[in-house]
Amino acid sequence: MRATVIYGPHDVRIEDVPDPVLVHPTDAVVRVTHACICGSDLWAYQGVAKREPGQRIGHEFLGVVESTGADVTGVKPGDTVVAPFVWSDGSCEFCREGLHTSCPVGGFWGQPGSDGGQGQAVRVPYADGTLVKLPSGLGDAELVKILALSDVMSTGHHAALAAGVRKGATVAVVGDGAVGLCGVLAAHRLGAERIIALGRHDARTALARRFGATDVVPERGDEAVAVVRELTGGQGAHAVIEAVGTEQSMRTAIGVARDGGAVGFVGVPHGGSAGVDIGDMFGRNVALRGGVAPARAYIPELLADVLAGRLDPSPVFDSSVELDGVPGGYAAMNDRKALKVLVRPNGGSV
């Protein structure tokens, strides 16, 4: 089969790789119909996050089950499924508590020795604990909506929950990438009364407003903190979503939080810990929660809303390519010419 591999900074290629096969009786093989490029993939593309030359890449996908091991009972060949960005057994203590990302036998797609989501097929370990079966007969538009649940929508939801978003709350969202925009959508879904989106790219802030943002703040750093505080009568936001992962974004998130509020951080940290001022947070009773999102715990709830027509994160996909176009998709996202690129490794056929 063909799949996306990364060799180094700005060196993403499409190559022939071995077809996935069942290794353990708990495995499944999924033919990928829909995948995408994540903003966190850009850290590897830029050389900030290290990868082994030739390592697979991509962690968001859905598709059709082609084969299953003898112990798999939850899905069968022909079923359409969506995978969260981490596999897990679904039965350990952490999985039962809804923290699938801490499963002792879990892992991330694209890690050494595993398939990446940006390929024609994937071997799925612990298929029963990982895959979520979808209703039959869904059209392409519905599948694209559901694809967002594999990571960015679930991650935005995780940030909103971690920040304590509630009905009537004022929420600030730091970051106008796909996760930040899904954080806006998640805050709106949870009933926030006011949502302040911090971003400076017109197309993205327009989408933030479409998703429920009531205010847009293009300033950055101390200027952004001052504007948010002015908008909130000097108090700040009850809940803050941090969706970038840099030192500046973390400082901004803590700075715009209201006393007694909370920051939900889901931006993959790259120097972000330097922005945590424990003394300031202590004095103002600001909480810090978040981390890697247990998407497998959230997908069923969010899926129900997608299927009912109450939730549509699909507008975050503003570009679409087939497999040969993936390297160009990385370049477009890196140059901010695309927000999030949809990938159809097999032409999108279900």
Side-chain angles (χ1 to χ4, degrees):
M1 72 168 188
R2 300 167 71 237
T4 307
V5 296
I6 185 167
Y7 280 86
H10 304 278
D11 188 1
V12 169
R13 310 176 194 176
I14 307 302
E15 293 187 343
D16 291 325
V17 300
D19 291 338
V21 296
L22 301 174
V23 176
H24 303 292
T26 52
D27 289 349
V29 171
V30 173
R31 174 172 54 86
V32 179
T33 60
H34 298 72
C36 51
I37 302 172
C38 185
S40 63
D41 292 330
L42 296 182
W43 293 119
Y45 185 74
Q46 294 165 357
V48 178
K50 302 301 180 184
R51 296 290 187 273
E52 296 179 2
Q55 187 173 335
R56 307 286 182 84
I57 195 167
H59 54 264
E60 302 158 285
F61 67 94
L62 63 77
V64 177
V65 176
E66 292 212 317
S67 59
T68 58
D71 292 348
V72 176
T73 60
V75 297
K76 64 182 185 305
D79 286 343
T80 303
V81 294
V82 61
F85 63 89
V86 172
W87 73 74
S88 56
D89 65 12
S91 60
C92 73
E93 185 174 351
F94 286 110
C95 289
R96 293 196 303 271
E97 293 174 355
L99 194 62
H100 299 74
T101 49
S102 291
C103 179
V105 296
F108 290 80
W109 309 113
Q111 71 184 43
S114 73
D115 295 313
Q118 295 162 17
Q120 291 183 310
V122 173
R123 180 181 72 87
V124 178
Y126 302 101
D128 280 343
T130 301
L131 297 173
V132 178
K133 182 180 175 180
L134 303 178
S136 61
L138 294 176
D140 182 73
E142 287 73 24
L143 293 175
V144 173
K145 296 174 187 178
I146 294 167
L147 175 64
L149 308 186
S150 65
D151 185 350
V152 288
M153 187 63 227
S154 290
T155 297
H157 179 66
H158 183 58
L161 293 181
V165 175
R166 64 185 185 280
K167 187 174 182 180
T170 294
V171 180
V173 180
V174 181
D176 60 3
V179 169
L181 292 169
C182 285
V184 171
L185 189 56
H188 180 71
R189 176 179 177 271
L190 292 171
E193 181 175 327
R194 190 175 193 183
I195 304 172
I196 304 169
L198 281 70
R200 55 174 53 191
H201 302 90
D202 290 344
R204 298 183 182 198
T205 55
L207 184 53
R209 289 191 182 277
R210 179 177 170 183
F211 279 175
T214 56
D215 304 89
V216 170
V217 174
E219 290 82 2
R220 302 180 73 178
D222 291 342
E223 291 182 359
V225 174
V227 172
V228 172
R229 289 202 167 271
E230 182 179 355
L231 288 172
T232 57
Q235 294 185 345
H238 299 102
V240 182
I241 292 173
E242 190 285 311
V244 182
T246 64
E247 178 178 349
Q248 182 183 69
S249 64
M250 186 64 80
R251 287 188 182 277
T252 299
I254 294 169
V256 301
R258 174 190 176 110
D259 289 14
V263 174
F265 72 104
V266 292
V268 179
H270 290 279
S273 61
V276 178
D277 186 337
I278 296 296
D280 177 52
M281 295 172 65
F282 180 84
R284 298 196 294 118
N285 280 281
V286 173
L288 181 64
R289 295 186 292 268
V292 59
R296 182 60 182 82
Y298 300 140
I299 287 175
E301 174 187 349
L302 298 175
L303 176 61
D305 274 11
V306 169
L307 296 176
R310 295 187 294 267
L311 179 64
D312 180 8
S314 65
V316 298
F317 299 109
D318 61 346
S319 180
S320 177
V321 298
E322 295 191 5
L323 198 55
D324 286 337
V326 168
Y330 272 85
M333 286 180 60
N334 189 63
D335 294 341
R336 292 188 176 273
K337 295 178 180 177
L339 170 61
K340 190 169 182 66
V341 175
L342 174 68
V343 181
R344 302 178 188 275
N346 290 287
S349 59
V350 177

